[in-house]
Amino acid sequence: MKITDLRCAVIGRHPIVRIVTDEGLYGLGEVEFTKPYLKPFVLHFKEALIGEDPTDVERCMLKIRQRGSFKPYGAAVSAIEHALWDIAGKAANVPVYKLLGGKVRDKVRVYNGSIRQKRTGDRPEDYAADVKWMMERPENFFMVKQGISFHSNMKDTIPDFHYGITQTKSGYHGAMDQGQISERGFNHMLDCVAAKKEVLGDRVSLALDCGPGWMLPDAIRFARAVEKYNLMWLEDMLTGDYTPWVNPQIYRELTTSTSTPIHTGEQIYLRNNFNELIETQAVNVVGPDPGDIGGIAELKWVAEHAQLHSILMAPHGTANGLLGLGALINVCATLPANYIAFEYPSASDPWWEDIVIGLPEGRIVRDSHIDLLEAPGLGLDIDPEGARKYLAEEDTGFFDP
């Protein structure tokens, strides 16, 4: 089998990768809806892959892996890797999890970081109402994740929240405020956490997406101050999101200063860049995104390495879309016992559920779990006729054989 074409079309807001072969099989991969500009980066790899056997996934990846980078640019390589595994599974007539070593669970646990409503404000009562809405959803999520501090509007709406540099275009995705947090801002955050925990109790767990942007002394003080609430984790306080560096030595100082679990990793590309985080036990939880780390095999390697050092695994995935959901389900079915849950990626537009084929019947998430997909490959496909109206004119041949 040989690759005859590599295509990419932006459908809705997601760049969708389609790899076509001379035997009629094809594979699909999806990039986050926050990265529609990555289409040319995907197509850049066409020349390298034409003529290769897509079922030799690792051989293909050896040709392109070194041209990726930290978020967002690892996403192009990652989506191609997903499409290669999709073909490999279809060629073997098995779900991809069978090719990754087989399943160790029949359903995968997920948490809610993506199904949200517009919050009424940034006061403690607004956060309390928001988590009440999230915990009462029919999916019965075991855990919800909420943005706070630099990963929220709080940095703009709370007067004198911090003393650092304030972005003049803070709405630009990836722009980072950073600085020492004021006493007023610090106390406001604590009031918001208390309000949320009063609603959630111990029925639904809470994680906080915090940054990046914190200075280490503030991060230590805050992590210690919230120890009594038994949070699942504090995420990306020091680095994360779009920061193309890791700073494991600073994370280790934070982690060893508190009993509150510390989490990072969504922006990191390749296992190599997790090595020091894991080997020095600089964090308690790692959260690579299969759509940014370099693919699902890369994520599995990191999970297994982390388990050897008693570090937990909770993959990121909030904007990965429904095809990205298929990649997450397959790889998380195979992960070792350090797996907690992945961040459920809901549809970025409601019509996605009308054009994606192979989703579980009825409600996708039941009691915070999703059943494994049994169709060959990654288990999901796109209905060409249903999707055609969302294609740009330049992409009208995207679904051609």
Side-chain angles (χ1 to χ4, degrees):
M1 186 187 304
K2 302 296 182 187
I3 295 172
T4 57
D5 202 3
L6 168 64
R7 302 171 188 166
C8 186
V10 178
I11 302 179
R13 291 170 283 166
H14 293 269
I16 305 297
V17 174
R18 181 181 171 94
I19 296 178
V20 182
T21 71
D22 60 355
E23 295 187 14
L25 292 180
Y26 60 87
L28 297 174
E30 182 168 17
V31 176
E32 283 185 330
F33 67 78
T34 56
K35 304 166 184 168
Y37 49 85
L38 286 187
K39 177 180 175 180
F41 290 87
V42 172
L43 296 176
H44 163 76
F45 294 112
K46 180 186 292 191
E47 183 180 352
L49 295 175
I50 296 295
E52 293 293 329
D53 183 343
T55 66
D56 292 331
V57 177
E58 179 61 11
R59 175 176 282 181
C60 292
M61 293 303 294
L62 286 171
K63 296 188 78 172
I64 68 173
R65 187 179 283 132
Q66 73 279 9
R67 295 208 179 187
S69 188
F70 276 52
K71 183 178 180 177
Y73 299 109
V77 174
S78 303
I80 289 171
E81 194 253 19
H82 298 177
L84 292 169
W85 280 114
D86 196 24
I87 295 172
K90 290 172 180 175
N93 198 33
V94 295
V96 165
Y97 66 74
K98 291 282 190 184
L99 304 181
L100 295 175
K103 64 182 179 180
V104 296
R105 49 185 67 83
D106 295 318
K107 55 181 66 177
V108 287
R109 185 182 296 108
V110 298
Y111 70 87
N112 184 13
S114 71
I115 303 178
R116 305 174 185 270
Q117 61 176 355
K118 185 173 176 58
R119 202 171 50 246
T120 51
D122 299 302
R123 302 165 300 173
E125 55 266 38
D126 299 316
Y127 276 99
D130 199 31
V131 295
K132 183 174 187 296
W133 179 85
M134 294 176 82
M135 77 181 291
E136 291 175 349
R137 289 195 54 81
E139 294 88 357
N140 196 25
F141 287 107
F142 87 103
M143 183 194 108
V144 299
K145 185 169 80 177
Q146 286 257 309
I148 197 170
S149 183
F150 292 111
H151 204 84
S152 71
N153 294 331
M154 196 179 284
K155 63 184 184 294
D156 300 317
T157 59
I158 303 304
D160 299 319
F161 179 79
H162 69 96
Y163 302 128
I165 298 169
T166 300
Q167 295 289 334
T168 55
K169 290 186 177 180
S170 58
Y172 177 73
H173 196 243
M176 187 172 80
D177 282 23
Q178 186 176 25
Q180 182 182 14
I181 297 171
S182 68
E183 184 177 4
R184 174 191 291 184
F186 195 90
N187 290 336
H188 179 81
M189 287 189 296
L190 292 179
D191 289 343
C192 290
V193 175
K196 286 188 271 195
K197 284 299 293 182
E198 186 173 352
V199 171
L200 296 173
D202 59 6
R203 284 182 51 207
V204 175
S205 296
L206 176 66
L208 297 178
D209 205 346
C210 299
W214 293 63
M215 296 300 181
L216 180 61
D218 284 339
I220 292 173
R221 284 195 303 131
F222 185 79
R224 288 174 173 170
V226 298
E227 286 177 346
K228 62 184 178 182
Y229 296 116
N230 294 316
L231 301 179
M232 286 293 286
W233 64 70
L234 298 175
E235 183 171 331
D236 288 349
M237 298 186 88
L238 308 172
T239 65
D241 223 10
Y242 286 87
T243 54
W245 60 85
V246 183
N247 280 349
Q249 72 283 5
I250 304 178
Y251 263 114
R252 189 174 190 280
E253 188 168 347
L254 169 59
T255 297
T256 57
S257 298
T258 179
S259 64
T260 302
I262 303 301
H263 172 301
T264 197
E266 73 177 66
Q267 90 286 13
I268 299 175
Y269 182 64
L270 300 184
R271 71 196 105 154
N272 314 62
N273 294 305
F274 278 93
N275 189 52
E276 189 177 348
L277 273 177
I278 292 170
E279 292 286 341
T280 64
Q281 295 182 302
V283 292
N284 307 108
V285 189
V286 288
D289 190 314
D292 287 299
I293 189 176
I296 56 178
E298 203 75 23
L299 185 145
K300 182 174 169 65
W301 283 319
V302 169
E304 291 169 343
H305 188 190
Q307 189 201 23
L308 298 179
H309 296 271
S310 197
I311 293 172
L312 296 165
M313 165 64 80
H316 184 265
T318 184
N320 291 20
L322 294 182
L323 296 181
L325 173 64
L328 278 158
I329 291 171
N330 274 274
V331 68
C332 291
T334 74
L335 298 186
N338 60 338
Y339 171 72
I340 303 172
F342 70 77
E343 186 174 25
Y344 175 60
S346 54
S348 56
D349 290 293
W351 46 262
W352 272 103
E353 292 192 20
D354 299 327
I355 66 171
V356 172
I357 301 167
L359 292 168
E361 292 289 330
R363 196 174 305 285
I364 296 174
V365 180
R366 299 174 185 270
D367 289 328
S368 208
H369 286 79
I370 304 176
D371 291 333
L372 301 191
L373 304 170
E374 297 302 333
L378 292 177
L380 300 173
D381 204 345
I382 295 178
D383 171 26
E385 294 309 312
R388 215 173 290 280
K389 61 186 173 184
Y390 300 110
L391 291 175
E393 186 175 349
E394 64 187 47
D395 296 321
T396 52
F398 181 73
F399 291 109
D400 290 350

